[in-house]
Amino acid sequence: FNSVSHELELFLKKNAGKLMLTVYDISGKRILTETYSGSEQIKTSFPYLNSGIYIINLQIEGKSTSLKVVVL
């Protein structure tokens, strides 16, 4: 688990073409979807999220990965 306090900053190895970031709560309900283009660094905030466990899914150039995070 990674812990965040309503802000998330991601550093990518290379400039991403199109990146889609989706946040789900622990029950699988989609909370947020954001799309970025041409970035090596992504910074976003979640001031409206309650404390708890969330799943962040990243889709970059047809590949997908997920992270479990704890919002404090």
Side-chain angles (χ1 to χ4, degrees):
F1 288 96
N2 299 297
S3 64
V4 296
S5 58
H6 300 290
E7 287 191 3
L8 178 67
E9 192 167 7
L10 301 171
F11 296 93
L12 308 174
K13 290 183 179 180
K14 64 177 185 172
N15 194 341
K18 181 181 177 185
L19 179 144
M20 187 164 58
L21 180 144
T22 308
V23 179
Y24 299 92
D25 67 14
I26 196 67
S27 71
K29 179 181 173 187
R30 185 174 58 204
I31 305 295
L32 167 78
T33 299
E34 292 183 352
T35 303
Y36 301 90
S37 186
S39 297
E40 290 182 2
Q41 179 180 357
I42 304 296
K43 188 171 186 178
T44 190
S45 62
F46 312 106
Y48 47 84
L49 291 182
N50 295 323
S51 296
I53 299 172
Y54 295 87
I55 308 296
I56 295 177
N57 181 268
L58 298 171
Q59 291 182 346
I60 304 170
E61 299 174 352
K63 297 180 182 178
S64 178
T65 189
S66 295
L67 310 163
K68 283 186 182 180
V69 297
V70 177
V71 174
L72 304 175

